[in-house]
Amino acid sequence: MARYGAVEAGGTKFVCAVGLGPEQIEEQVRIPTTTPTETIALVLDFFQQQIKSSGPLEAIGVGSFGPVGVHADAPQFGYFLETPKPGWQHIEFATVLSRALSAPVGFNTDVNAAALGEGRWGNGQGLDTFIYLTVGTGIGGGAVVNGKLLHGLLHPEMGHILIPHDRSADPFPGSCPFHQDCLEGLASGFAIEQRWQQKAADLPADHPAWALEANYLAAGMVNFILTLSPQRIIVGGGVMGQPQLLPLVRTQVVQKLSGYLKVPQITNNIDTYIVPPKLDNQAGIAGAFVLAQQAAEQR
Ligand code: ADP
Ligand code: ZN
């Protein structure tokens, strides 16, 4: 059986794993995200050690914070692009791994990878069109459409859609450096903490922050439902750690759709339509294994 390398490249850490798949991981490390030179060198060290001790890798899969160059035939394939992360703009990554480790690489966003992972082993199983959202420090979304990851011009940037913002109810201007009050600017963990001047995890369950949060997340989801027609929405990330939030979001999604979509998934089964990830925080690394497998098949 083929051995793969998998990387989940995040803003605070890079998780690197080697194994046959997410259920058969031989070795895994967490490398802090510091400077590109330092972090990428440590990632390479890990895989080179693994190859030395246990043999070559069939392929490597990488799910990364974005934006990133995901088109295999474009000159920017394998690069971090205009990322807000200081020092990481226009840094070559996935293709560096591919050359140094003599293996093909599959490269995509962290949320697209997580969608793939949930599709294979989690709550996207058996569906051909669904989305995966994360509501953490930022907000991101990945989509599987007709069985394939969605990337066209670049890749979806679902966190940055523009949604209604009633400034009399919520005077907070928004925290996104590009758009201020886009979805991420209004509803990310970072935005919640800026608006209320305390940690999101410390806001009590009955704090008005959560009804407002549900309103924004539901507005975003309604737009995704109407544009992509997903068969399910999987939503994870640290902010969803508030158990009262998901039920509020489901109620608001139904309200905002106002009976327009008469499908049983929404009218009768909203609790199984908008769901948490089954793989919890392993969806990203699991998806990186799928990316690796796909890269090996395309070789
Ligand atoms: P990241 O997005 O940085 O990869 P997470 O998905 O863990 O990581 O999200 C971190 C964000 O989630 C932070 O803004 C944090 O304040 C928030 N968060 C973590 N736990 C909770 C919680 N129990 N309730 C609400 N917000 C939380
Ligand atoms: Zn934005």
Side-chain angles (χ1 to χ4, degrees):
M1 282 177 82
R3 278 169 85 237
Y4 300 111
V7 183
E8 186 182 17
T12 52
K13 61 181 188 302
F14 279 39
V15 179
C16 305
V18 165
L20 306 180
E23 285 147 340
Q24 288 150 292
I25 289 177
E26 295 165 11
E27 215 51 70
Q28 181 166 321
V29 286
R30 295 159 64 108
I31 294 163
T33 312
T34 55
T35 64
T37 314
E38 196 171 74
T39 305
I40 294 171
L42 290 171
V43 170
L44 276 174
D45 274 357
F46 168 74
F47 286 117
Q48 275 158 346
Q49 285 297 329
Q50 292 303 313
I51 290 171
K52 215 165 145 190
S53 61
S54 312
L57 300 172
E58 196 84 10
I60 302 141
V62 182
S64 174
F65 66 87
V68 283
V70 297
H71 289 298
D73 49 1
Q76 287 186 316
F77 177 70
Y79 280 69
F80 298 100
L81 303 180
E82 308 299 336
T83 171
K85 194 158 180 57
W88 285 80
Q89 296 91 352
H90 304 283
I91 297 290
E92 188 183 6
F93 179 46
T95 31
V96 170
L97 292 186
S98 178
R99 281 196 304 273
L101 307 175
S102 308
V105 69
F107 188 46
N108 222 297
T109 61
D110 44 5
V111 278
N112 262 346
L116 275 186
E118 284 289 319
R120 177 78 62 89
W121 294 285
N123 283 333
Q125 286 177 82
L127 304 177
D128 65 16
T129 299
F130 63 93
I131 66 174
Y132 176 95
L133 299 174
T134 181
V135 188
T137 308
I139 295 183
V144 171
V145 175
N146 300 331
K148 284 186 144 178
L149 281 185
L150 181 65
H151 38 72
L153 184 64
L154 190 61
H155 48 70
E157 281 288 345
M158 298 190 198
H160 296 270
I161 63 166
L162 306 180
I163 54 172
H165 177 195
D166 174 359
R167 284 171 188 270
S168 63
D170 174 24
F172 177 63
S175 65
C176 174
F178 294 89
H179 323 106
Q180 286 212 304
D181 60 352
C182 62
L183 179 59
E184 175 170 295
L186 290 172
S188 61
F190 182 68
I192 296 171
E193 292 174 8
Q194 296 286 303
R195 177 188 290 109
W196 302 104
Q197 292 294 305
Q198 55 178 312
K199 287 208 164 297
D202 295 341
L203 292 165
D206 59 355
H207 192 281
W210 301 118
L212 189 67
E213 179 71 7
N215 171 64
Y216 291 137
L217 294 180
M221 287 184 195
V222 163
N223 288 331
F224 303 140
I225 292 167
L226 295 169
T227 48
L228 294 174
S229 208
Q231 294 156 311
R232 184 168 290 152
I233 295 176
I234 302 169
V235 54
V239 173
M240 299 311 295
Q242 294 286 316
Q244 76 286 7
L245 185 55
L246 194 52
L248 290 173
V249 171
R250 290 176 178 134
T251 306
Q252 292 228 26
V253 164
V254 173
Q255 276 173 9
K256 286 181 198 297
L257 282 168
S258 299
Y260 184 67
L261 296 182
K262 293 215 171 19
V263 290
Q265 288 89 334
I266 290 171
T267 53
N268 303 331
N269 301 305
I270 193 75
D271 290 358
T272 55
Y273 182 68
I274 303 173
V275 300
K278 184 174 176 188
L279 305 181
D280 207 8
N281 53 14
Q282 294 301 303
I285 199 80
F289 275 102
V290 183
L291 288 170
Q293 195 186 353
Q294 291 177 348
E297 282 161 7
Q298 279 160 16
R299 191 178 210 171

PDB file of all heavy atoms in Angstrom, residues 109-131:
ATOM      1  N   THR A 109      -6.666  24.651  -0.613  1.00  0.00           N
ATOM      2  CA  THR A 109      -6.891  25.409   0.622  1.00  0.00           C
ATOM      3  C   THR A 109      -7.195  24.447   1.771  1.00  0.00           C
ATOM      4  O   THR A 109      -7.627  23.313   1.566  1.00  0.00           O
ATOM      5  CB  THR A 109      -8.073  26.384   0.476  1.00  0.00           C
ATOM      6  OG1 THR A 109      -9.256  25.629   0.186  1.00  0.00           O
ATOM      7  CG2 THR A 109      -7.834  27.388  -0.632  1.00  0.00           C
ATOM      8  N   ASP A 110      -6.999  24.926   2.984  1.00  0.00           N
ATOM      9  CA  ASP A 110      -7.293  24.122   4.176  1.00  0.00           C
ATOM     10  C   ASP A 110      -8.769  23.709   4.213  1.00  0.00           C
ATOM     11  O   ASP A 110      -9.100  22.576   4.564  1.00  0.00           O
ATOM     12  CB  ASP A 110      -6.898  24.882   5.457  1.00  0.00           C
ATOM     13  CG  ASP A 110      -7.324  26.351   5.465  1.00  0.00           C
ATOM     14  OD1 ASP A 110      -8.025  26.803   4.526  1.00  0.00           O
ATOM     15  OD2 ASP A 110      -6.941  27.065   6.403  1.00  0.00           O
ATOM     16  N   VAL A 111      -9.640  24.626   3.813  1.00  0.00           N
ATOM     17  CA  VAL A 111     -11.076  24.313   3.877  1.00  0.00           C
ATOM     18  C   VAL A 111     -11.524  23.399   2.742  1.00  0.00           C
ATOM     19  O   VAL A 111     -12.411  22.555   2.932  1.00  0.00           O
ATOM     20  CB  VAL A 111     -11.947  25.598   3.930  1.00  0.00           C
ATOM     21  CG1 VAL A 111     -11.997  26.122   5.351  1.00  0.00           C
ATOM     22  CG2 VAL A 111     -11.460  26.642   2.962  1.00  0.00           C
ATOM     23  N   ASN A 112     -10.912  23.531   1.575  1.00  0.00           N
ATOM     24  CA  ASN A 112     -11.214  22.570   0.510  1.00  0.00           C
ATOM     25  C   ASN A 112     -10.728  21.184   0.929  1.00  0.00           C
ATOM     26  O   ASN A 112     -11.410  20.184   0.712  1.00  0.00           O
ATOM     27  CB  ASN A 112     -10.558  22.995  -0.811  1.00  0.00           C
ATOM     28  CG  ASN A 112     -11.519  23.745  -1.752  1.00  0.00           C
ATOM     29  OD1 ASN A 112     -12.733  23.741  -1.550  1.00  0.00           O
ATOM     30  ND2 ASN A 112     -10.974  24.372  -2.761  1.00  0.00           N
ATOM     31  N   ALA A 113      -9.538  21.135   1.541  1.00  0.00           N
ATOM     32  CA  ALA A 113      -9.025  19.846   2.026  1.00  0.00           C
ATOM     33  C   ALA A 113      -9.974  19.263   3.072  1.00  0.00           C
ATOM     34  O   ALA A 113     -10.316  18.078   3.023  1.00  0.00           O
ATOM     35  CB  ALA A 113      -7.618  20.016   2.604  1.00  0.00           C
ATOM     36  N   ALA A 114     -10.411  20.086   3.999  1.00  0.00           N
ATOM     37  CA  ALA A 114     -11.324  19.604   5.048  1.00  0.00           C
ATOM     38  C   ALA A 114     -12.626  19.079   4.434  1.00  0.00           C
ATOM     39  O   ALA A 114     -13.178  18.071   4.886  1.00  0.00           O
ATOM     40  CB  ALA A 114     -11.609  20.711   6.058  1.00  0.00           C
ATOM     41  N   ALA A 115     -13.087  19.752   3.385  1.00  0.00           N
ATOM     42  CA  ALA A 115     -14.296  19.272   2.690  1.00  0.00           C
ATOM     43  C   ALA A 115     -14.037  17.873   2.116  1.00  0.00           C
ATOM     44  O   ALA A 115     -14.877  16.977   2.241  1.00  0.00           O
ATOM     45  CB  ALA A 115     -14.701  20.251   1.587  1.00  0.00           C
ATOM     46  N   LEU A 116     -12.872  17.688   1.512  1.00  0.00           N
ATOM     47  CA  LEU A 116     -12.528  16.362   0.962  1.00  0.00           C
ATOM     48  C   LEU A 116     -12.485  15.303   2.052  1.00  0.00           C
ATOM     49  O   LEU A 116     -12.962  14.187   1.857  1.00  0.00           O
ATOM     50  CB  LEU A 116     -11.136  16.399   0.316  1.00  0.00           C
ATOM     51  CG  LEU A 116     -10.972  16.852  -1.113  1.00  0.00           C
ATOM     52  CD1 LEU A 116      -9.519  16.643  -1.532  1.00  0.00           C
ATOM     53  CD2 LEU A 116     -11.900  16.082  -2.047  1.00  0.00           C
ATOM     54  N   GLY A 117     -11.891  15.652   3.189  1.00  0.00           N
ATOM     55  CA  GLY A 117     -11.792  14.715   4.306  1.00  0.00           C
ATOM     56  C   GLY A 117     -13.172  14.324   4.818  1.00  0.00           C
ATOM     57  O   GLY A 117     -13.469  13.145   5.029  1.00  0.00           O
ATOM     58  N   GLU A 118     -14.042  15.315   4.985  1.00  0.00           N
ATOM     59  CA  GLU A 118     -15.410  15.027   5.440  1.00  0.00           C
ATOM     60  C   GLU A 118     -16.172  14.237   4.378  1.00  0.00           C
ATOM     61  O   GLU A 118     -17.039  13.428   4.695  1.00  0.00           O
ATOM     62  CB  GLU A 118     -16.157  16.330   5.763  1.00  0.00           C
ATOM     63  CG  GLU A 118     -15.755  16.957   7.083  1.00  0.00           C
ATOM     64  CD  GLU A 118     -16.257  16.162   8.299  1.00  0.00           C
ATOM     65  OE1 GLU A 118     -17.404  15.690   8.287  1.00  0.00           O
ATOM     66  OE2 GLU A 118     -15.476  16.029   9.257  1.00  0.00           O
ATOM     67  N   GLY A 119     -15.852  14.482   3.111  1.00  0.00           N
ATOM     68  CA  GLY A 119     -16.516  13.752   2.037  1.00  0.00           C
ATOM     69  C   GLY A 119     -16.158  12.271   2.057  1.00  0.00           C
ATOM     70  O   GLY A 119     -17.003  11.411   1.831  1.00  0.00           O
ATOM     71  N   ARG A 120     -14.895  11.968   2.344  1.00  0.00           N
ATOM     72  CA  ARG A 120     -14.444  10.573   2.314  1.00  0.00           C
ATOM     73  C   ARG A 120     -14.822   9.822   3.587  1.00  0.00           C
ATOM     74  O   ARG A 120     -15.255   8.688   3.542  1.00  0.00           O
ATOM     75  CB  ARG A 120     -12.921  10.560   2.103  1.00  0.00           C
ATOM     76  CG  ARG A 120     -12.279   9.173   2.115  1.00  0.00           C
ATOM     77  CD  ARG A 120     -12.480   8.401   0.813  1.00  0.00           C
ATOM     78  NE  ARG A 120     -11.873   9.045  -0.332  1.00  0.00           N
ATOM     79  CZ  ARG A 120     -10.608   8.835  -0.736  1.00  0.00           C
ATOM     80  NH1 ARG A 120      -9.837   7.996  -0.093  1.00  0.00           N
ATOM     81  NH2 ARG A 120     -10.145   9.469  -1.807  1.00  0.00           N
ATOM     82  N   TRP A 121     -14.622  10.497   4.751  1.00  0.00           N
ATOM     83  CA  TRP A 121     -14.774   9.766   6.019  1.00  0.00           C
ATOM     84  C   TRP A 121     -15.814  10.370   6.969  1.00  0.00           C
ATOM     85  O   TRP A 121     -16.106   9.793   8.001  1.00  0.00           O
ATOM     86  CB  TRP A 121     -13.428   9.718   6.752  1.00  0.00           C
ATOM     87  CG  TRP A 121     -12.381   8.912   6.037  1.00  0.00           C
ATOM     88  CD1 TRP A 121     -12.312   7.549   5.962  1.00  0.00           C
ATOM     89  CD2 TRP A 121     -11.256   9.404   5.303  1.00  0.00           C
ATOM     90  NE1 TRP A 121     -11.217   7.172   5.229  1.00  0.00           N
ATOM     91  CE2 TRP A 121     -10.547   8.288   4.816  1.00  0.00           C
ATOM     92  CE3 TRP A 121     -10.777  10.698   5.001  1.00  0.00           C
ATOM     93  CZ2 TRP A 121      -9.381   8.418   4.047  1.00  0.00           C
ATOM     94  CZ3 TRP A 121      -9.629  10.819   4.244  1.00  0.00           C
ATOM     95  CH2 TRP A 121      -8.949   9.686   3.771  1.00  0.00           C
ATOM     96  N   GLY A 122     -16.336  11.541   6.638  1.00  0.00           N
ATOM     97  CA  GLY A 122     -17.154  12.244   7.624  1.00  0.00           C
ATOM     98  C   GLY A 122     -18.580  12.511   7.165  1.00  0.00           C
ATOM     99  O   GLY A 122     -19.207  11.678   6.509  1.00  0.00           O
ATOM    100  N   ASN A 123     -19.070  13.699   7.469  1.00  0.00           N
ATOM    101  CA  ASN A 123     -20.474  14.018   7.235  1.00  0.00           C
ATOM    102  C   ASN A 123     -20.816  14.401   5.795  1.00  0.00           C
ATOM    103  O   ASN A 123     -21.956  14.759   5.508  1.00  0.00           O
ATOM    104  CB  ASN A 123     -20.920  15.123   8.205  1.00  0.00           C
ATOM    105  CG  ASN A 123     -21.150  14.555   9.598  1.00  0.00           C
ATOM    106  OD1 ASN A 123     -21.461  13.371   9.740  1.00  0.00           O
ATOM    107  ND2 ASN A 123     -20.976  15.389  10.618  1.00  0.00           N
ATOM    108  N   GLY A 124     -19.824  14.335   4.911  1.00  0.00           N
ATOM    109  CA  GLY A 124     -20.127  14.564   3.490  1.00  0.00           C
ATOM    110  C   GLY A 124     -20.222  13.265   2.704  1.00  0.00           C
ATOM    111  O   GLY A 124     -20.415  13.291   1.485  1.00  0.00           O
ATOM    112  N   GLN A 125     -20.099  12.139   3.401  1.00  0.00           N
ATOM    113  CA  GLN A 125     -20.130  10.841   2.695  1.00  0.00           C
ATOM    114  C   GLN A 125     -21.424  10.667   1.933  1.00  0.00           C
ATOM    115  O   GLN A 125     -22.497  10.943   2.460  1.00  0.00           O
ATOM    116  CB  GLN A 125     -19.990   9.691   3.698  1.00  0.00           C
ATOM    117  CG  GLN A 125     -18.589   9.528   4.243  1.00  0.00           C
ATOM    118  CD  GLN A 125     -18.515   8.432   5.295  1.00  0.00           C
ATOM    119  OE1 GLN A 125     -18.427   7.260   4.981  1.00  0.00           O
ATOM    120  NE2 GLN A 125     -18.549   8.841   6.555  1.00  0.00           N
ATOM    121  N   GLY A 126     -21.297  10.200   0.692  1.00  0.00           N
ATOM    122  CA  GLY A 126     -22.477   9.910  -0.124  1.00  0.00           C
ATOM    123  C   GLY A 126     -23.065  11.148  -0.803  1.00  0.00           C
ATOM    124  O   GLY A 126     -24.032  11.031  -1.550  1.00  0.00           O
ATOM    125  N   LEU A 127     -22.495  12.341  -0.549  1.00  0.00           N
ATOM    126  CA  LEU A 127     -23.027  13.561  -1.172  1.00  0.00           C
ATOM    127  C   LEU A 127     -22.089  13.993  -2.293  1.00  0.00           C
ATOM    128  O   LEU A 127     -20.877  13.847  -2.175  1.00  0.00           O
ATOM    129  CB  LEU A 127     -23.113  14.696  -0.139  1.00  0.00           C
ATOM    130  CG  LEU A 127     -23.926  14.385   1.120  1.00  0.00           C
ATOM    131  CD1 LEU A 127     -23.863  15.579   2.076  1.00  0.00           C
ATOM    132  CD2 LEU A 127     -25.372  14.073   0.747  1.00  0.00           C
ATOM    133  N   ASP A 128     -22.658  14.573  -3.359  1.00  0.00           N
ATOM    134  CA  ASP A 128     -21.725  15.048  -4.386  1.00  0.00           C
ATOM    135  C   ASP A 128     -21.594  16.562  -4.407  1.00  0.00           C
ATOM    136  O   ASP A 128     -20.697  17.091  -5.039  1.00  0.00           O
ATOM    137  CB  ASP A 128     -22.013  14.443  -5.765  1.00  0.00           C
ATOM    138  CG  ASP A 128     -23.344  14.859  -6.333  1.00  0.00           C
ATOM    139  OD1 ASP A 128     -23.928  15.839  -5.831  1.00  0.00           O
ATOM    140  OD2 ASP A 128     -23.787  14.194  -7.280  1.00  0.00           O
ATOM    141  N   THR A 129     -22.448  17.268  -3.659  1.00  0.00           N
ATOM    142  CA  THR A 129     -22.326  18.731  -3.602  1.00  0.00           C
ATOM    143  C   THR A 129     -22.590  19.191  -2.167  1.00  0.00           C
ATOM    144  O   THR A 129     -23.701  19.043  -1.648  1.00  0.00           O
ATOM    145  CB  THR A 129     -23.317  19.396  -4.578  1.00  0.00           C
ATOM    146  OG1 THR A 129     -22.996  18.957  -5.910  1.00  0.00           O
ATOM    147  CG2 THR A 129     -23.235  20.908  -4.519  1.00  0.00           C
ATOM    148  N   PHE A 130     -21.554  19.676  -1.515  1.00  0.00           N
ATOM    149  CA  PHE A 130     -21.712  20.151  -0.134  1.00  0.00           C
ATOM    150  C   PHE A 130     -20.621  21.163   0.167  1.00  0.00           C
ATOM    151  O   PHE A 130     -19.634  21.277  -0.568  1.00  0.00           O
ATOM    152  CB  PHE A 130     -21.668  18.981   0.867  1.00  0.00           C
ATOM    153  CG  PHE A 130     -20.363  18.241   0.904  1.00  0.00           C
ATOM    154  CD1 PHE A 130     -19.367  18.581   1.810  1.00  0.00           C
ATOM    155  CD2 PHE A 130     -20.124  17.209   0.013  1.00  0.00           C
ATOM    156  CE1 PHE A 130     -18.154  17.899   1.834  1.00  0.00           C
ATOM    157  CE2 PHE A 130     -18.907  16.513   0.029  1.00  0.00           C
ATOM    158  CZ  PHE A 130     -17.930  16.862   0.939  1.00  0.00           C
ATOM    159  N   ILE A 131     -20.816  21.921   1.251  1.00  0.00           N
ATOM    160  CA  ILE A 131     -19.770  22.877   1.617  1.00  0.00           C
ATOM    161  C   ILE A 131     -19.295  22.624   3.044  1.00  0.00           C
ATOM    162  O   ILE A 131     -20.006  22.051   3.873  1.00  0.00           O
ATOM    163  CB  ILE A 131     -20.207  24.353   1.431  1.00  0.00           C
ATOM    164  CG1 ILE A 131     -21.333  24.742   2.382  1.00  0.00           C
ATOM    165  CG2 ILE A 131     -20.586  24.625   0.003  1.00  0.00           C
ATOM    166  CD1 ILE A 131     -21.663  26.224   2.312  1.00  0.00           C
TER     167      ILE A 131
END
